Amino acid sequence: MLFLKKYLKWISTFLVLTGILLTNLNIYPLNIYFHGIGVVGWTISGFLLKDKAILTNFGLQIPLFVIGIYKIIF
């Protein structure tokens, strides 16, 4: 649990920023996967830290990424 609280935000930040970079470089669909995993990490972090602002911001992004991944698969 200590690992999650200590490093999850940093790993998730790296993944989100990588996803943004891949979007700017027009590398699709890899951008959705990196950014989406980072968003899930930030949502878990917000839940563990009981931070409602982080939980709301990133939690509401999850359905958007699910739609994007659904479009890729189907």
Side-chain angles (χ1 to χ4, degrees):
M1 187 68 112
L2 179 61
F3 173 81
L4 285 178
K5 286 188 176 183
K6 189 170 185 178
Y7 294 110
L8 184 59
K9 289 193 295 186
W10 288 108
I11 294 168
S12 300
T13 297
F14 172 77
L15 291 169
V16 167
L17 291 174
T18 301
I20 292 169
L21 173 64
L22 293 172
T23 298
N24 290 330
L25 297 174
N26 201 25
I27 300 176
Y28 176 83
L30 203 54
N31 60 337
I32 292 175
Y33 299 133
F34 274 89
H35 201 153
I37 294 169
V39 163
V40 169
W42 265 107
T43 303
I44 293 168
S45 179
F47 179 77
L48 291 174
L49 298 173
K50 297 177 178 62
D51 189 326
K52 291 180 184 176
I54 289 174
L55 191 56
T56 300
N57 180 9
F58 289 101
L60 292 176
Q61 291 180 39
I62 291 175
L64 303 176
F65 282 103
V66 169
I67 291 168
I69 292 170
Y70 178 81
K71 285 183 66 177
I72 292 167
I73 295 172
F74 301 105

